[in-house]
Amino acid sequence: MAVSATSFPKIYASSFECRSDPDFSSSARSEKAGPGRFATRASSVRAGASFHGLSSLIFRFPPNFVRQLSTKARRNCSNIGVAQVVAASWSNNPAAAGVPPAAAIAVDAAAAAAASAPVAPVEELQAGAEVLVVDEFESSQDVQLKDLDLKEASFLSSDGSLAIHAGERLGRGIVTDAITTPVVNTSAYFFKKTAELIDFKEKRRASFEYGRYGNPTTVVAEEKISALEGAESTLIMASGMCASTVMLMALVPAGGHIVTTTDCYRKTRIFIETILPKMGITATVIDPADMKGLESALEEHKVSLFFTESPTNPFLRCVDIKLVSDLCHKKGALVCIDGTFATPLNQKALAIGADLVLHSATKFIGGHNDVLAGCVSGPLKLISEIRNLHHVLGGALNP
């Protein structure tokens, strides 16, 4: 709704002056507590002509203002918008609000029908006091609904359904020229008909289904990180610890063995040493530079995964990722590097030889100390395994 400063419309021109708050000391204060007191106060306000010698016309809005505000208020479910509608209706229709007819401006049938008539611009303007005039409010031209056949949309047959669904995107993708990515705050997604849902379930149609399974906003972040890492796929989660724990549980089978390093984030070590053993998963802990220790562990155990940070937290020690990857791959073990402290800008672990790269995006990727997030990137096959478990466990990132 455009708002501009211009001259006051001629048909509404009047001496416009500020007034002090009405004095309720006489009649209103004499009433006892209860409905009567509030009724007295309300009627005193309505009878604007009786206060301080003011005319009955306190303020006048352009003729289309009530309808424009009504549309906007209904669309936004705005209490403020509804209050504006009430105020505009009262000031434009004082007779209906209890103002004596002699003091009121006549409101004819044409004005009463303005809510359903086409919007017409204010024609006459008079030079004078600067006031705010609301320009013609353009509706959304049914952009949100244009792809939906309303004749077949039986669910839109009631006011309750309209209050929920009308004006929404109705399952379409984000259509916008905005430079910034829209934040899609939704827990569920819309299918126009059962056939679309079946096509989605049978992988003939790309769509979103439920917030834990994906979100248009977070997908943008995943694709961005994949591009930075040179990865086929990325999964973003609620925190770095969420990414670490889900990755380990998804890729290490029961009875499997992990090799990790002494210089490792404490909570990750706690998970590896106290939680995974409950699943039959054991671990060997080596110094980040102990390649002999790694070779021994690979010989003695059927190692499923080597997991370390590089640079490490908190001592910033770096691991020879290429050498580690060569040693592990010879024994069929995966390599996952937590590159949180390096970021994809300073280290491309996948290009060096790692199978997976993980980040606590809360740190440098987030950058402003205002988000918790984690991500893991790598081949689509491995990320899909992690994603399947993520869909079970939860830990979805808020968009």
Side-chain angles (χ1 to χ4, degrees):
M1 180 168 62
V3 179
S4 60
T6 183
S7 301
F8 200 82
K10 182 175 182 180
I11 55 175
Y12 302 122
S14 65
S15 57
F16 197 80
E17 60 179 352
C18 296
R19 65 184 178 114
S20 61
D21 292 335
D23 181 8
F24 297 108
S25 59
S26 56
S27 59
R29 290 182 182 176
S30 64
E31 296 284 345
K32 300 294 182 182
R37 179 177 61 168
F38 294 102
T40 303
R41 179 172 298 193
S43 62
S44 300
V45 175
R46 288 171 186 151
S50 64
F51 285 117
H52 309 289
L54 288 175
S55 67
S56 62
L57 178 60
I58 296 175
F59 187 74
R60 291 286 288 168
F61 292 83
N64 304 312
F65 192 59
V66 174
R67 187 169 74 83
Q68 293 165 3
L69 280 176
S70 297
T71 302
K72 185 177 179 64
R74 286 195 299 269
R75 181 175 294 114
N76 296 339
C77 297
S78 168
N79 290 335
I80 296 175
V82 173
Q84 289 175 318
V85 172
V86 173
S89 299
W90 164 58
S91 62
N92 282 4
N93 191 2
V99 177
I105 293 178
V107 180
D108 58 16
S116 59
V119 176
V122 178
E123 295 179 358
E124 294 187 70
L125 298 177
Q126 174 180 337
E130 292 282 328
V131 298
L132 292 178
V133 173
V134 180
D135 296 337
E136 178 177 346
F137 177 81
E138 294 184 1
S139 69
S140 62
Q141 299 176 345
D142 293 330
V143 171
Q144 307 289 0
L145 292 169
K146 67 180 182 180
D147 290 344
L148 183 68
D149 187 351
L150 294 178
K151 294 180 181 178
E152 298 179 2
S154 59
F155 74 95
L156 290 177
S157 60
S158 70
D159 288 344
S161 293
L162 285 170
I164 296 170
H165 297 294
E168 303 292 341
R169 294 190 179 275
L170 297 170
R172 298 187 296 117
I174 301 175
V175 180
T176 175
D177 294 324
I179 293 175
T180 53
T181 301
V183 178
V184 180
N185 285 313
T186 185
S187 61
Y189 297 87
F190 187 92
F191 291 91
K192 296 176 186 175
K193 49 190 176 182
T194 304
E196 285 188 358
L197 176 59
I198 294 173
D199 288 342
F200 167 72
K201 286 295 187 180
E202 296 180 355
K203 303 187 184 306
R204 292 188 298 271
R205 180 178 187 269
S207 181
F208 293 93
E209 177 187 9
Y210 183 57
R212 195 171 73 249
Y213 305 152
N215 175 279
T217 305
T218 56
V219 163
V220 173
E222 291 175 344
E223 293 178 349
K224 193 182 301 292
I225 294 169
S226 290
L228 290 170
E229 291 287 7
E232 270 192 293
S233 182
T234 293
L235 172 61
I236 195 164
M237 287 178 263
S239 70
M241 277 304 301
C242 184
S244 299
T245 55
V246 175
M247 181 275 299
L248 289 169
M249 287 190 291
L251 299 182
V252 182
H257 193 84
I258 295 173
V259 179
T260 189
T261 57
T262 54
D263 193 0
C264 185
Y265 181 56
R266 181 170 175 269
K267 296 297 183 183
T268 306
R269 282 280 302 277
I270 290 174
F271 180 78
I272 290 173
E273 294 178 345
T274 65
I275 306 300
L276 290 184
K278 298 178 181 179
M279 306 175 193
I281 298 171
T282 55
T284 296
V285 182
I286 63 172
D287 185 88
D290 186 5
M291 294 299 100
K292 292 295 183 182
L294 174 59
E295 289 177 342
S296 297
L298 290 169
E299 290 293 338
E300 296 172 9
H301 305 278
K302 183 172 175 54
V303 177
S304 303
L305 179 75
F306 174 79
F307 176 65
T308 187
E309 299 161 8
S310 186
T312 60
N313 179 2
F315 298 123
L316 304 180
R317 298 173 68 185
C318 293
V319 174
D320 188 335
I321 297 174
K322 185 178 186 309
L323 177 56
V324 165
S325 300
D326 289 343
L327 293 174
C328 290
H329 291 161
K330 289 177 183 178
K331 296 294 184 177
L334 297 173
V335 175
C336 180
I337 301 296
D338 183 336
T340 296
F341 278 19
T343 79
L345 299 182
N346 296 309
Q347 177 177 275
K348 308 289 186 184
L350 299 180
I352 300 171
D355 300 289
L356 297 161
V357 60
L358 184 145
H359 294 278
S360 171
T362 306
K363 313 300 191 303
F364 294 116
I365 288 180
H368 300 97
N369 300 310
D370 57 356
V371 297
L372 288 174
C375 60
V376 57
S377 305
L380 179 60
K381 181 178 183 298
L382 294 177
I383 298 301
S384 296
E385 292 183 43
I386 302 170
R387 192 183 299 273
N388 289 338
L389 182 59
H390 166 62
H391 290 172
V392 174
L393 297 178
L397 179 68
N398 187 296

